[in-house]
Amino acid sequence: MAQQSTETDWVSRFADEVIAEAERRAPGKAASGASAPVIVCASGLSPSGPIHLGNLREVMTPHLVADEIRRRGHEVRHLISWDDYDRYRKVPAGVEGVDESWAEHIGKPLTSVPAPAGSAYPNWAEHFKAAMTEALAELGVEYDGISQTAQYTSGVYRDQVLHAMKHRADIDAILAQYRTKKAPAKKSQKPVDEAELEAAEGSGAASEDDGSGGSAGYFPYKPYCGQCEKDLTTVTSYDDETTELTYTCTACGFGETVRLSEFHRGKLVWKVDWPMRWAYEGVVFEPSGVDHSSPGSSFVVGGQIVREIFDGAQPIGPMYAFVGISGMAKMSSSRGGVPTPGDALQIMEAPLLRWLYARRKPNQSFKIAFDQEIQRLYDEWDKLEAKVADGSALPADAAAHSRAVRTAAGELPRTPRPLPYRTLASVADITAGHDEQTLRILGELDPANPVTSLDETRPRLDKAEHWINTQVPADQRTIVRDEPDAELLASLDDQGRESLRLLLDGLDEHWSLDGLTTLVYGVPKVQAGLAPDAKPTPELKVAQRAFFALLYHLLVGRDTGPRLPTLLLAVGADRVRKLLGG
Ligand SMILES: [Zn+2]
């Protein structure tokens, strides 16, 4: 049974490629039922600190492709390799429960570093993994998590380690071809500024990652010290026959001779470790950050090492572009100033976040909005939902929507009654999260079909509320006046007074979101002697803007605010009358 290409979006095209590659590797099996091999897609995450929201692309890209392959009926494994046996490089700034004393652990495996004070988790890696695991569950990402600490220390890679040591001269020769070309060392995506900072600091990651050797020659393996647990060790001799390895530690002076065939406290250097795992797991698809497109990148070097040393194949590995964050407020950055996927999921629903990744090709960069832009994004999403519902969405847009709202396993939870995010945000802004008041206002938005319980509007309501509370600066919050602005009311001319009277006279009759919209736009029309459905002229627009500004001043003491119909509903008819001098 050959797979037809649907060719609707980038996910489908990669799924086509990955299935074809899996078939090429195991001819006739990939699409033929029970004996078909499982198709492996992979991601790698380093729990070296709070996992940056930008790194979610490392997971979402293979997730979406794996999910499409699963939808077509193939068996897929999406591996997430937790690179928790990596060395602890530096103490991230501003993480709660962590101070400079953590610097003494630099050089140990991430799983040997104590968790931040007060953590419920046994070590550093587990602590930061937990937050990511929770976010992935909410996002509907199905995966097999693999702890590299567990893999290495249980000896799962013993044969691969011995093989790499045996062929160290060949590995060294391959690496030598690239050594003059400077390249970023690690695969994981980092925020641009951090990557630049590390490059400027000359962090030494590049040399440590390919395992350049000392006077005894090159070794692609680094033991963690038996006394201080750090990786500041130098292999001084190795015997291929007996697998006896001797190392000394430059940090504490400890040294010992071990038998590598039964010693499991160390790891292959990154540039050898990654291709080893491609071969070991049979990875067919694994993307990496765009900083790996350079000639000496670990993806390129790994391609040669996996073929020539491990007799395996390089995965299909698109480079993905950076994902930026717009306008994350300082106040919510309690975890080292790093926006995490968990932070995003507090202000937006999982389908929306999935959609941001699904609709852009991996090589396109984009920003995740924590600022006002999130309201426009939600408007766009709601329009797409409407188009999908009436069948007018373009195929690629419909595909992205489908990937956002469901996986092969089923539908993601949705808000039963998805009111506009900007309306919910305005209501939350004005009511300061007061439930009774919120229900009163939401119930009046559409009197013909009133909201009767806040649960209908959740979780979107909660996300909008959280956004208002954590991301909108105090000076942009809406504070409804307690007392009328007597001075402003007294200064109005006849036309100003007349506009307020027209509005107040129409309030009862127009008390709904649609009704009030008609009313606030209609008052200036009536004053200009135009029909209520008249096309706006430039003069009329000027009059409308002036009228709106007057209302904002009288209601909230500013030039602008939430959309007026929402604001009027939120303030309530009695208080509107009082503040407008009625
Ligand atoms: Zn030591």
Side-chain angles (χ1 to χ4, degrees):
M1 165 183 91
Q3 285 301 334
Q4 77 287 11
S5 163
T6 47
E7 286 288 326
T8 48
D9 65 348
W10 68 267
V11 181
S12 282
R13 289 191 290 273
F14 272 122
D16 291 346
E17 260 188 70
V18 171
I19 292 167
E21 170 67 8
E23 282 193 358
R24 194 188 62 73
R25 292 186 188 187
K29 282 188 175 170
S32 64
S35 66
V38 177
I39 299 175
V40 179
C41 301
S43 306
L45 289 173
S46 180
S48 58
I51 296 177
H52 195 283
L53 176 54
N55 283 62
L56 191 54
R57 203 165 210 178
E58 171 74 26
V59 176
M60 288 308 294
T61 307
H63 163 69
L64 293 167
V65 171
D67 189 63
E68 170 62 23
I69 295 171
R70 200 174 280 133
R71 288 182 196 210
R72 296 188 196 177
H74 297 276
E75 255 200 273
V76 184
R77 274 181 92 199
H78 177 188
L79 303 180
I80 292 185
S81 170
W82 297 106
D83 292 332
D84 55 10
Y85 208 42
D86 283 6
R87 77 191 303 258
Y88 185 53
R89 284 174 196 281
K90 62 172 183 181
V91 185
V95 176
E96 231 171 288
V98 175
D99 57 34
E100 272 310 307
S101 69
W102 261 259
E104 72 183 68
H105 302 293
I106 288 172
K108 293 180 187 175
L110 292 167
T111 40
S112 294
V113 176
S119 168
Y121 296 93
N123 61 58
W124 186 271
E126 291 300 326
H127 177 83
F128 291 106
K129 237 192 248 184
M132 188 67 175
T133 303
E134 201 180 307
L136 293 176
E138 189 170 343
L139 283 165
V141 175
E142 192 181 313
Y143 65 94
D144 283 351
I146 296 183
S147 158
Q148 292 305 326
T149 299
Q151 297 286 97
Y152 270 106
T153 59
S154 65
V156 165
Y157 301 140
R158 184 191 56 204
D159 293 346
Q160 283 71 22
V161 168
L162 295 176
H163 181 81
M165 285 294 268
K166 194 170 173 184
H167 296 276
R168 59 190 178 278
D170 302 326
I171 293 173
D172 192 29
I174 294 171
L175 292 173
Q177 298 168 27
Y178 300 93
R179 272 198 191 108
T180 50
K181 304 162 191 163
K182 287 253 156 56
K186 195 72 170 82
K187 166 182 180 250
S188 326
Q189 181 195 10
K190 291 200 174 86
V192 178
D193 52 352
E194 195 191 329
E196 278 171 0
L197 196 68
E198 280 203 4
E201 283 172 348
S203 70
S207 56
E208 135 210 317
D209 275 339
D210 75 7
S212 302
S215 55
Y218 171 81
F219 299 101
Y221 179 85
K222 214 168 228 275
Y224 280 111
C225 173
Q227 184 164 282
C228 72
E229 285 191 88
K230 296 183 179 178
D231 72 342
L232 301 169
T233 55
T234 307
V235 175
T236 54
S237 73
Y238 181 68
D239 185 322
D240 284 302
E241 289 304 308
T242 62
T243 79
E244 271 187 2
L245 176 149
T246 305
Y247 72 86
T248 56
C249 175
T250 56
C252 71
F254 182 78
E256 65 178 327
T257 298
V258 298
R259 207 176 275 268
L260 200 49
S261 57
E262 50 203 36
F263 173 87
H264 304 313
R265 200 187 54 246
K267 70 186 287 289
L268 292 170
V269 296
W270 166 248
K271 281 184 178 166
V272 182
D273 177 45
W274 198 21
M276 178 277 285
R277 290 192 265 128
W278 290 341
Y280 182 83
E281 305 286 0
V283 177
V284 184
F285 183 77
E286 181 169 2
S288 55
V290 76
D291 49 335
H292 293 270
S293 52
S294 60
S297 73
S298 39
F299 186 79
V300 174
V301 179
Q304 197 173 341
I305 291 179
V306 73
R307 285 187 298 271
E308 296 177 17
I309 305 296
F310 295 106
D311 193 24
Q314 189 175 34
I316 294 167
M319 306 291 163
Y320 54 81
F322 286 115
V323 174
I325 314 297
S326 67
M328 167 115 175
K330 286 237 161 52
M331 57 187 120
S332 62
S333 56
S334 60
R335 290 165 302 280
V338 173
T340 63
D343 289 325
L345 288 169
Q346 287 198 301
I347 60 166
M348 64 183 78
E349 294 159 271
L352 188 91
L353 187 53
R354 290 174 61 89
W355 178 58
L356 298 180
Y357 288 90
R359 71 178 180 151
R360 297 272 181 257
K361 292 185 193 107
N363 62 5
Q364 292 176 298
S365 62
F366 66 88
K367 284 187 170 179
I368 297 176
F370 278 68
D371 54 11
Q372 301 287 336
E373 173 70 8
I374 192 174
Q375 303 188 83
R376 200 202 52 75
L377 201 64
Y378 251 108
D379 288 346
E380 202 186 330
W381 169 251
D382 287 345
K383 268 184 208 141
L384 174 62
E385 293 239 84
K387 282 185 179 175
V388 168
D390 72 17
S392 66
L394 297 170
D397 294 341
H401 177 267
S402 165
R403 303 189 192 294
V405 301
R406 67 185 68 89
T407 68
E411 302 283 321
L412 270 82
R414 309 277 287 277
T415 297
R417 188 149 177 195
L419 295 172
Y421 187 88
R422 64 172 72 244
T423 303
L424 295 173
S426 295
V427 172
D429 180 20
I430 297 159
T431 64
H434 191 282
D435 277 357
E436 236 170 86
Q437 217 185 334
T438 303
L439 182 58
R440 193 265 303 162
I441 298 164
L442 297 184
E444 289 173 353
L445 291 177
D446 180 5
N449 181 18
V451 170
T452 55
S453 149
L454 289 185
D455 286 343
E456 297 171 43
T457 67
R458 289 184 164 128
R460 191 184 282 198
L461 172 64
D462 303 321
K463 312 282 181 189
E465 227 171 74
H466 193 85
W467 177 71
I468 277 286
N469 290 331
T470 61
Q471 301 298 325
V472 179
D475 64 2
Q476 288 174 30
R477 293 291 300 268
T478 303
I479 299 160
V480 179
R481 293 183 62 94
D482 286 326
E483 294 299 326
D485 186 339
E487 202 179 321
L488 179 54
L489 285 169
S491 73
L492 294 177
D493 58 11
D494 285 349
Q495 198 193 353
R497 272 194 299 276
E498 171 74 1
S499 66
L500 295 182
R501 196 189 57 75
L502 286 169
L503 182 87
L504 292 173
D505 286 352
L507 273 190
D508 287 342
E509 190 192 333
H510 292 89
W511 199 252
S512 69
L513 201 58
D514 286 348
L516 289 170
T517 304
T518 306
L519 181 63
V520 296
Y521 282 95
V523 165
K525 290 182 187 174
V526 170
Q527 286 196 292
L530 299 167
D533 59 351
K535 287 251 156 51
T537 61
E539 294 77 23
L540 180 64
K541 282 184 180 169
V542 170
Q544 284 173 334
R545 269 199 296 275
F547 178 52
F548 297 168
L550 172 62
L551 292 177
Y552 282 124
H553 272 284
L554 290 170
L555 294 169
V556 298
R558 301 173 43 189
D559 286 338
T560 59
R563 289 188 171 177
L564 276 169
T566 313
L567 179 62
L568 291 167
L569 278 178
V571 173
D574 290 346
R575 202 160 165 204
V576 168
R577 284 201 174 83
K578 178 181 160 194
L579 294 176
L580 300 190

